[in-house]
Amino acid sequence: DLQAVDRDFAFTVDARVKALIAVNAALGADKALIESVRVFDQFTGDKAEAQMGAGKKSIALAVRLQPKDKTLTETEIEAVSAKIVEKVTKATGGTLRG
C-alpha cells in the first residue's frame, strides 16, 4: 500500500450553506484519488460573524488522498488541492480561509 496524504482546508461560506455541499464538491475534485472527505470543524455564531462578517461561517474539511499506483509528488498534491479549492468555492460561493 502507498502512503495516504491528508490535507485540511477551511472555507468561509454563507451561514446557510450546508456542510454536505462542500464535502460533495471536494469529493468530486478527483474521484479516483480522493478516498474521503470529512468535516472536522464548523465555526458559527456571533464570534464567527465578528471575524468573517455577518451571515458567514467557516467549514473545515479533512481530505485524504490515497494513491493507487505511485507515490504522489508535491506538484500532484498541489494540483489536486487547487482543484478541491476550485470545486468547493464554485459549489458554495465561499472562499478559502488563509
Side-chain angles (χ1 to χ4, degrees), residues 66-97:
Q66 181 59 64
K68 308 260 189 293
D69 55 356
K70 66 181 180 79
T71 301
L72 296 173
T73 66
E74 193 61 36
T75 302
E76 291 167 329
I77 294 167
E78 290 301 320
V80 173
S81 296
K83 196 166 183 185
I84 291 167
V85 171
E86 176 188 339
K87 293 279 191 178
V88 173
T89 57
K90 185 176 180 181
T92 65
T95 58
L96 183 66
R97 287 187 71 189

Side-chain angles (χ1 to χ4, degrees), residues 1-7 32-35 63-74 76-77:
D1 285 342
L2 297 169
Q3 183 174 351
V5 176
D6 295 311
R7 289 287 185 263
L33 191 58
I34 298 172
E35 179 180 82
V63 179
R64 173 161 281 208
L65 308 176
Q66 181 59 64
K68 308 260 189 293
D69 55 356
K70 66 181 180 79
T71 301
L72 296 173
T73 66
E74 193 61 36
E76 291 167 329
I77 294 167

Side-chain angles (χ1 to χ4, degrees), residues 23-74:
V23 169
N24 287 338
L27 281 168
D30 190 324
K31 293 178 183 181
L33 191 58
I34 298 172
E35 179 180 82
S36 65
V37 178
R38 68 178 178 82
V39 176
F40 71 88
D41 187 42
Q42 283 197 75
F43 183 41
T44 61
D46 293 340
K47 288 183 180 180
E49 289 188 3
Q51 287 185 19
M52 294 174 276
K56 299 292 184 184
K57 70 178 179 181
S58 174
I59 298 173
L61 304 176
V63 179
R64 173 161 281 208
L65 308 176
Q66 181 59 64
K68 308 260 189 293
D69 55 356
K70 66 181 180 79
T71 301
L72 296 173
T73 66
E74 193 61 36

